[in-house]
Amino acid sequence: MADKHKEPAIPSDADRAAQEIESLREQILHHNALYHEQDAPAIPDADYDRLFDRLLALEAAHPDLLTPDSPTQRVGGAALDSFIQVQHEQPMMSLAKVFNEEDLVAFEARILRQLDSDQVPWYSCEPKVDGVAVSLLYQDGVLQRAATRGDGVTGEDITHNVRTIGDVPLRLKPVDGVELPRQLEVRGEIYMSRAGFARMNEEAQANGERSFVNPRNAAAGTLRQLDPRMAAKRPLCFFVYGTGLVHYAAGADGTAWPGRLSEILELLGRWGLPLNPDRDVVCGYQDFLRYAQELLQKRDALDYEIDGAVLKVDELALQDELGATSRTPRWAMAYKFPAEEVSTVLRDVEFQVGRTGAITPVARLEPVFVGGVTVSNATLHNMAEVARLGVQIGDRVIVRRAGDVIPKIVQRVDPTDDPEPETRPRRPIEIPTECPACGSEIESDGDILYRCSGGLVCPAQRKEALKHFCSRGALDIEGLGDKLIEQLVDAGLLRDAADIFHLRKEQLLTLERMGDKSAGNLLAAIEKARHTTLPRALYALGIREVGEATAQALASHFGGLEALLEADAEALQQVPDVGPIVAQHIAIFFDNADNREVIRRLREAGVQWTEQSARTVSDALAGKTFVLTGSLESMTRDEARDRLLALGAKVTGSVSKKTDHVVAGPGAGSKRDKAEQLEIDVMDEQALLDLLAKHE
Ligand code: IVH
């Protein structure tokens, strides 16, 4: 009874820390197992790192609570029983991380202090490749064994799988000058190229097999297969970044072994091991920072995923002097780039209506910093994707944003793996029964695509159609941007494209933030747009499946709009690249009385297009795909594009393996880099002019 009035014991700071430490260790061990043993991480690296860093901080603040079995004392991931365990000759360490310039300054200052030197060190720099660390043991130049890192001391024998990787030499090529060591541990990263990953996932999906979330999981999953025939089929690659044991037999001449890491890498390269082409050697942290920034710039153009840049003191004598802690060397650092995958909470899902009525689920997220920007919306693509992800409103989800690509949701985090659990009600994502913009009925082709049946009655479709009509590849009306179009539609001043040409200054002046000058400029731009080309006019109409290249092909084939209006599906299919489906979309579009009326009113408003006589059209460049980047002097990029299109070429916005030529003017950036990487022809303006002159 007396107990009833006893105050509950107030937990001390140390008690609370002990509890949190215990919980963190449990979570970390659980995630280690998922990541290293099952290749199925449940949370993004960024979340894992937060848990790990928190544990490190708590243990540093309470050294008495640090135990030898804490996950911070191991590198992570025990070896699987089904694989033979192997002892590394020298332990495989991990890298400490830095996130900003300040951390780098501190790193370098610490090194200089420890070396008692004021001589800024040289650093060997490499991309931090997002793959799987391996150690390859060569005996007299012959590959004996390949192992995963495991806990750093003991790994798993994956020789059977690594032997299937074309990049990994089974025998090193001897070269003059340096004898091959009796035993050599080569350290590096096995990874899957982005292109290989995309291809593999497409195939897996087509065969109804499980697809992987990212290239790293795919690489790890492949290496853990017991049957090497699987690895042989997968596009695995390898980069070497260092060595472990280097042992020369008694009597052999090991004196020529280089004294710098960069020289060791060159030597390994001459022996036939693949070096990362994006490595460099720099002096001091400032130059390293420049290297890292350049690397970050080309991150998206690389054919392998990276999560940062690594800097390592180049001189081995200095490395030895600096030594290592229990987990990480003191002479190296990983400079981490902003994570491209992070977790956040799915707060709601809204449905957006596109130009052709297609309805897309869009995720509204708890704002989160990912890929260098704060993101609060992400695409869910379609309802089939929602089903595949098994995601509901209220779930914690993983958002991916790489480069300029639209952020997307790639995975649902299992609630038991939620690092910040919170009780949130779950609510299924349901497609609305009527269009959220106009209330029209929604049509479906099954369970993937849903479309608003409202056509141009639907304000959302109308806005999108008008945005398309004014866009750069279409009538290119400067100043008539997305926001203004929305305002004009909402104000009832625009219903269809023809209305644009009837806008009056006094109407424009009623809009918010529209002054006399901007209204005048806008009207001048509209006036200019009355004179356009047939391909642009056709593209601007927004016919389903008719992009710029098809519009050009139609214009070339028919010469004028009259002939095209009269063409039936069969005649349309005579046009190169127009198949039965596109032909049907075109025929339906021109059969529609509303569409014909808009065309009539456009003409009535004085909109004119040059019929195809202005420039002779040929197919001299048919089948060739161009990308234009940087600025041109003698013409605008749009003009260059029109002229290429008129020669039958395709012009696209991004460089891929399908690109044949990249035209790069001053200021060209990542597109040129990517072209060079993919070994695609890069031409300057003069080369383009020569090419045009030859064919026009
Ligand atoms: S050096 C002692 N260099 O990053 C040096 N590591 O925690 C240890 N990684 O799992 C590694 N690219 O697999 C180094 N160029 C690179 C790397 C790299 C990727 C991975 C490595 C390890 C992790 C370091």
Side-chain angles (χ1 to χ4, degrees):
M1 276 289 124
D3 269 352
K4 207 171 164 188
H5 299 287
K6 205 168 134 193
E7 292 278 326
I10 297 171
S12 69
D13 258 5
D15 285 348
R16 260 202 304 266
Q19 260 174 21
E20 192 180 345
I21 284 177
E22 196 182 330
S23 147
L24 285 166
R25 286 180 185 159
E26 235 169 67
Q27 291 183 63
I28 290 168
L29 288 176
H30 169 65
H31 291 301
N32 279 351
L34 290 176
Y35 184 105
H36 290 286
E37 285 152 40
Q38 293 168 34
D39 305 312
I43 55 172
D45 287 0
D47 289 12
Y48 176 86
D49 289 350
R50 243 200 318 276
L51 296 174
F52 203 91
D53 292 345
R54 173 78 184 144
L55 180 57
L56 280 174
L58 282 174
E59 287 176 346
H62 303 272
D64 50 314
L65 297 175
L66 179 59
T67 55
D69 66 345
S70 169
T72 57
Q73 305 304 298
R74 294 163 69 88
V75 185
L80 262 195
D81 288 332
S82 44
F83 284 90
I84 297 171
Q85 302 205 343
V86 293
Q87 293 278 116
H88 298 301
E89 298 300 326
Q90 264 182 24
M92 290 181 79
M93 303 212 106
S94 134
L95 290 170
K97 288 172 250 164
V98 287
F99 294 91
N100 51 42
E101 180 166 358
E102 210 184 319
D103 297 344
L104 282 171
V105 173
F107 169 69
E108 192 166 277
R110 200 197 69 210
I111 287 182
L112 293 179
R113 219 175 22 251
Q114 203 186 329
L115 295 175
D116 195 17
S117 155
D118 52 11
Q119 196 112 53
V120 169
W122 288 89
Y123 298 114
S124 170
C125 331
E126 297 138 30
K128 188 167 183 301
V129 180
D130 213 358
V132 180
V134 288
S135 181
L136 310 177
L137 182 64
Y138 285 91
Q139 181 95 24
D140 295 317
V142 177
L143 179 67
Q144 287 293 312
R145 179 181 93 184
T148 62
R149 186 172 61 166
D151 66 5
V153 176
T154 308
E156 287 158 9
D157 190 323
I158 51 165
T159 317
H160 60 301
N161 288 330
V162 173
R163 277 181 182 286
T164 69
I165 302 173
D167 279 353
V168 175
L170 299 179
R171 181 184 284 276
L172 300 179
K173 279 195 303 256
V175 293
D176 287 342
V178 189
E179 230 175 281
L180 282 164
R182 160 73 22 111
Q183 279 191 311
L184 170 67
E185 272 183 318
V186 170
R187 301 280 163 81
E189 199 83 356
I190 290 178
Y191 66 96
M192 194 175 280
S193 70
R194 286 190 214 248
F197 170 74
R199 235 178 300 124
M200 188 192 84
N201 256 1
E202 270 166 31
E203 273 170 34
Q205 265 166 6
N207 299 334
E209 292 162 13
R210 160 179 114 114
S211 54
F212 286 99
V213 174
N214 58 42
R216 191 203 46 217
N217 290 344
T222 305
L223 289 175
R224 304 177 62 81
Q225 298 287 330
L226 287 165
D227 182 352
R229 280 173 298 185
M230 181 70 92
K233 278 190 251 161
R234 299 265 175 90
L236 293 179
C237 310
F238 179 65
F239 282 136
V240 53
Y241 57 62
T243 55
L245 174 78
V246 182
H247 169 72
Y248 279 96
D253 180 16
T255 54
W257 188 256
R260 292 181 169 273
L261 174 59
S262 52
E263 294 165 356
I264 295 176
L265 292 178
E266 294 301 325
L267 178 62
L268 296 175
R270 287 166 64 211
W271 283 341
L273 288 154
L275 300 177
N276 190 313
D278 300 298
R279 72 189 184 288
D280 204 351
V281 184
V282 301
C283 187
Y285 82 90
Q286 278 156 323
D287 277 355
F288 169 75
L289 207 58
R290 215 163 297 135
Y291 164 83
Q293 270 149 5
E294 275 169 27
L295 185 64
L296 184 57
Q297 286 286 314
K298 50 181 185 187
R299 185 182 194 176
D300 305 328
L302 300 174
D303 194 29
Y304 53 91
E305 296 212 333
I306 61 174
D307 58 354
V310 183
L311 79 164
K312 301 170 189 170
V313 170
D314 200 36
E315 214 175 312
L316 300 196
L318 298 184
Q319 289 188 1
D320 286 346
E321 204 175 328
L322 289 164
T325 69
S326 63
R327 286 173 10 95
T328 59
R330 288 201 193 86
W331 42 265
M333 268 299 163
Y335 176 73
K336 295 276 281 187
F337 290 160
E340 291 186 324
E341 283 184 11
V342 299
S343 81
T344 187
V345 174
L346 176 60
R347 289 284 176 219
D348 201 1
V349 171
E350 283 171 21
F351 290 87
Q352 250 171 23
V353 186
R355 173 163 62 84
T356 57
I359 294 190
T360 313
V362 179
R364 302 283 177 229
L365 304 166
E366 192 65 42
V368 68
F369 192 71
V370 53
V373 298
T374 300
V375 161
S376 45
N377 301 314
T379 180
L380 277 161
H381 298 296
N382 54 48
M383 292 310 282
E385 179 73 355
V386 169
R388 189 183 72 81
L389 293 167
V391 61
Q392 297 198 2
I393 295 161
D395 281 346
R396 178 167 288 275
V397 292
I398 299 178
V399 188
R400 179 177 176 80
R401 180 187 179 272
D404 295 333
V405 180
I406 301 170
K408 61 177 183 180
I409 291 182
V410 292
Q411 201 181 330
R412 168 183 175 235
V413 175
D414 194 293
T416 56
D417 291 319
D418 198 333
E420 289 152 33
E422 184 191 326
T423 40
R424 289 180 298 263
R426 289 187 85 207
R427 180 158 58 86
I429 299 167
E430 279 163 5
I431 189 93
T433 49
E434 49 192 47
C435 171
C438 70
S440 299
E441 202 179 308
I442 287 180
E443 297 166 346
S444 161
D445 72 339
D447 56 357
I448 300 183
L449 291 180
Y450 292 83
R451 207 175 281 282
C452 158
S453 62
L456 288 183
V457 170
C458 174
Q461 288 191 49
R462 239 184 300 136
K463 284 176 185 168
E464 295 309 311
L466 283 162
K467 287 177 194 170
H468 174 78
F469 187 86
C470 302
S471 66
R472 280 191 60 190
L475 260 62
D476 193 16
I477 307 183
E478 213 184 308
L480 198 42
D482 293 1
K483 284 266 144 30
L484 188 53
I485 290 174
E486 289 185 11
Q487 265 184 299
L488 287 163
V489 173
D490 291 339
L493 294 174
L494 276 191
R495 274 188 62 83
D496 61 33
D499 291 342
I500 294 172
F501 299 93
H502 296 291
L503 285 171
R504 293 189 315 272
K505 198 170 198 174
E506 58 272 23
Q507 291 178 316
L508 293 176
L509 290 174
T510 63
L511 299 175
E512 238 177 84
R513 277 194 303 242
M514 176 66 75
D516 198 65
K517 184 147 180 251
S518 4
N521 289 344
L522 180 58
L523 289 174
I526 292 173
E527 193 51 43
K528 204 169 119 200
R530 272 187 228 272
H531 297 273
T532 185
T533 64
L534 180 59
R536 280 178 177 271
L538 283 177
Y539 172 67
L541 291 174
I543 306 165
R544 268 173 76 182
E545 306 284 338
V546 176
E548 286 174 82
T550 309
Q552 179 67 54
L554 289 167
S556 311
H557 187 86
F558 291 102
L561 189 64
E562 294 323 314
L564 179 55
L565 282 170
E566 296 318 315
D568 59 14
E570 203 180 317
L572 286 164
Q573 283 183 59
Q574 303 302 311
V575 180
D577 274 355
V578 174
I581 295 178
V582 181
Q584 200 188 5
H585 286 314
I586 299 169
I588 291 174
F589 184 92
F590 288 125
D591 269 349
N592 179 303
D594 290 339
N595 292 336
R596 281 184 177 253
E597 177 62 10
V598 171
I599 293 170
R600 191 192 65 73
R601 293 206 308 115
L602 280 170
R603 283 176 150 166
E604 190 184 69
V607 179
Q608 301 170 9
W609 40 86
T610 44
E611 307 269 305
Q612 280 299 295
S613 49
R615 189 170 284 133
T616 45
V617 170
S618 79
D619 57 2
L621 298 179
K624 296 281 177 223
T625 301
F626 287 73
V627 172
L628 303 169
T629 177
S631 55
L632 300 174
E633 272 174 18
S634 60
M635 60 186 134
T636 63
R637 281 219 305 254
D638 282 350
E639 192 188 331
R641 185 186 54 187
D642 285 350
R643 291 170 69 177
L644 286 167
L645 291 175
L647 292 170
K650 262 194 190 163
V651 180
T652 65
S654 60
V655 179
S656 76
K657 288 214 168 116
K658 292 188 190 143
T659 311
D660 296 293
H661 307 278
V662 172
V663 180
S670 64
K671 289 184 190 173
R672 195 213 335 246
D673 294 343
K674 182 155 185 192
E676 278 164 5
Q677 199 168 26
L678 295 175
E679 294 177 4
I680 292 167
D681 173 49
V682 177
M683 50 166 72
D684 62 9
E685 180 162 1
Q686 192 52 51
L688 173 69
L689 289 172
D690 294 346
L691 182 77
L692 293 172
K694 192 165 133 202
H695 297 295
E696 278 176 347

PDB file of all heavy atoms in Angstrom, residues 142-153:
ATOM      1  N   VAL A 142      47.941 -15.212 -60.168  1.00  0.00           N
ATOM      2  CA  VAL A 142      46.760 -15.985 -60.553  1.00  0.00           C
ATOM      3  C   VAL A 142      45.670 -15.786 -59.497  1.00  0.00           C
ATOM      4  O   VAL A 142      45.944 -15.890 -58.294  1.00  0.00           O
ATOM      5  CB  VAL A 142      47.095 -17.492 -60.682  1.00  0.00           C
ATOM      6  CG1 VAL A 142      45.850 -18.299 -61.009  1.00  0.00           C
ATOM      7  CG2 VAL A 142      48.161 -17.694 -61.742  1.00  0.00           C
ATOM      8  N   LEU A 143      44.441 -15.498 -59.966  1.00  0.00           N
ATOM      9  CA  LEU A 143      43.351 -15.270 -59.009  1.00  0.00           C
ATOM     10  C   LEU A 143      43.061 -16.547 -58.232  1.00  0.00           C
ATOM     11  O   LEU A 143      42.723 -17.579 -58.813  1.00  0.00           O
ATOM     12  CB  LEU A 143      42.085 -14.815 -59.750  1.00  0.00           C
ATOM     13  CG  LEU A 143      40.864 -14.578 -58.847  1.00  0.00           C
ATOM     14  CD1 LEU A 143      41.082 -13.391 -57.917  1.00  0.00           C
ATOM     15  CD2 LEU A 143      39.599 -14.359 -59.675  1.00  0.00           C
ATOM     16  N   GLN A 144      43.243 -16.481 -56.916  1.00  0.00           N
ATOM     17  CA  GLN A 144      43.014 -17.642 -56.064  1.00  0.00           C
ATOM     18  C   GLN A 144      41.638 -17.604 -55.421  1.00  0.00           C
ATOM     19  O   GLN A 144      40.978 -18.610 -55.265  1.00  0.00           O
ATOM     20  CB  GLN A 144      44.018 -17.645 -54.895  1.00  0.00           C
ATOM     21  CG  GLN A 144      45.417 -17.993 -55.296  1.00  0.00           C
ATOM     22  CD  GLN A 144      45.503 -19.430 -55.747  1.00  0.00           C
ATOM     23  OE1 GLN A 144      45.002 -20.318 -55.081  1.00  0.00           O
ATOM     24  NE2 GLN A 144      46.085 -19.662 -56.917  1.00  0.00           N
ATOM     25  N   ARG A 145      41.253 -16.406 -55.003  1.00  0.00           N
ATOM     26  CA  ARG A 145      40.093 -16.320 -54.135  1.00  0.00           C
ATOM     27  C   ARG A 145      39.534 -14.902 -54.167  1.00  0.00           C
ATOM     28  O   ARG A 145      40.295 -13.938 -54.290  1.00  0.00           O
ATOM     29  CB  ARG A 145      40.601 -16.643 -52.730  1.00  0.00           C
ATOM     30  CG  ARG A 145      39.592 -16.593 -51.654  1.00  0.00           C
ATOM     31  CD  ARG A 145      40.265 -16.905 -50.350  1.00  0.00           C
ATOM     32  NE  ARG A 145      40.675 -15.667 -49.699  1.00  0.00           N
ATOM     33  CZ  ARG A 145      41.366 -15.621 -48.563  1.00  0.00           C
ATOM     34  NH1 ARG A 145      41.781 -16.721 -47.970  1.00  0.00           N
ATOM     35  NH2 ARG A 145      41.653 -14.469 -48.027  1.00  0.00           N
ATOM     36  N   ALA A 146      38.216 -14.807 -54.111  1.00  0.00           N
ATOM     37  CA  ALA A 146      37.576 -13.497 -53.999  1.00  0.00           C
ATOM     38  C   ALA A 146      36.648 -13.560 -52.796  1.00  0.00           C
ATOM     39  O   ALA A 146      35.955 -14.560 -52.597  1.00  0.00           O
ATOM     40  CB  ALA A 146      36.786 -13.183 -55.260  1.00  0.00           C
ATOM     41  N   ALA A 147      36.661 -12.506 -52.001  1.00  0.00           N
ATOM     42  CA  ALA A 147      35.835 -12.531 -50.788  1.00  0.00           C
ATOM     43  C   ALA A 147      35.150 -11.200 -50.556  1.00  0.00           C
ATOM     44  O   ALA A 147      35.660 -10.145 -50.944  1.00  0.00           O
ATOM     45  CB  ALA A 147      36.712 -12.874 -49.593  1.00  0.00           C
ATOM     46  N   THR A 148      33.980 -11.267 -49.916  1.00  0.00           N
ATOM     47  CA  THR A 148      33.300 -10.037 -49.502  1.00  0.00           C
ATOM     48  C   THR A 148      33.992  -9.498 -48.257  1.00  0.00           C
ATOM     49  O   THR A 148      34.804 -10.197 -47.640  1.00  0.00           O
ATOM     50  CB  THR A 148      31.837 -10.302 -49.130  1.00  0.00           C
ATOM     51  OG1 THR A 148      31.825 -11.208 -48.012  1.00  0.00           O
ATOM     52  CG2 THR A 148      31.053 -10.884 -50.286  1.00  0.00           C
ATOM     53  N   ARG A 149      33.611  -8.295 -47.868  1.00  0.00           N
ATOM     54  CA  ARG A 149      34.252  -7.718 -46.699  1.00  0.00           C
ATOM     55  C   ARG A 149      33.800  -8.409 -45.404  1.00  0.00           C
ATOM     56  O   ARG A 149      34.587  -8.561 -44.483  1.00  0.00           O
ATOM     57  CB  ARG A 149      33.919  -6.229 -46.625  1.00  0.00           C
ATOM     58  CG  ARG A 149      34.667  -5.560 -45.528  1.00  0.00           C
ATOM     59  CD  ARG A 149      34.498  -4.071 -45.585  1.00  0.00           C
ATOM     60  NE  ARG A 149      33.111  -3.674 -45.434  1.00  0.00           N
ATOM     61  CZ  ARG A 149      32.729  -2.436 -45.174  1.00  0.00           C
ATOM     62  NH1 ARG A 149      33.636  -1.482 -45.061  1.00  0.00           N
ATOM     63  NH2 ARG A 149      31.469  -2.129 -45.044  1.00  0.00           N
ATOM     64  N   GLY A 150      32.525  -8.804 -45.364  1.00  0.00           N
ATOM     65  CA  GLY A 150      31.998  -9.403 -44.131  1.00  0.00           C
ATOM     66  C   GLY A 150      32.163  -8.447 -42.973  1.00  0.00           C
ATOM     67  O   GLY A 150      31.823  -7.270 -43.092  1.00  0.00           O
ATOM     68  N   ASP A 151      32.738  -8.908 -41.874  1.00  0.00           N
ATOM     69  CA  ASP A 151      32.907  -7.995 -40.733  1.00  0.00           C
ATOM     70  C   ASP A 151      34.250  -7.268 -40.782  1.00  0.00           C
ATOM     71  O   ASP A 151      34.657  -6.636 -39.820  1.00  0.00           O
ATOM     72  CB  ASP A 151      32.715  -8.734 -39.407  1.00  0.00           C
ATOM     73  CG  ASP A 151      33.800  -9.758 -39.160  1.00  0.00           C
ATOM     74  OD1 ASP A 151      34.755  -9.829 -39.971  1.00  0.00           O
ATOM     75  OD2 ASP A 151      33.715 -10.489 -38.163  1.00  0.00           O
ATOM     76  N   GLY A 152      34.934  -7.404 -41.900  1.00  0.00           N
ATOM     77  CA  GLY A 152      36.214  -6.709 -42.052  1.00  0.00           C
ATOM     78  C   GLY A 152      37.389  -7.642 -41.817  1.00  0.00           C
ATOM     79  O   GLY A 152      38.448  -7.468 -42.397  1.00  0.00           O
ATOM     80  N   VAL A 153      37.173  -8.644 -40.961  1.00  0.00           N
ATOM     81  CA  VAL A 153      38.229  -9.614 -40.659  1.00  0.00           C
ATOM     82  C   VAL A 153      37.927 -10.915 -41.397  1.00  0.00           C
ATOM     83  O   VAL A 153      38.784 -11.512 -42.041  1.00  0.00           O
ATOM     84  CB  VAL A 153      38.306  -9.868 -39.133  1.00  0.00           C
ATOM     85  CG1 VAL A 153      39.335 -10.939 -38.808  1.00  0.00           C
ATOM     86  CG2 VAL A 153      38.631  -8.564 -38.423  1.00  0.00           C
TER      87      VAL A 153
END
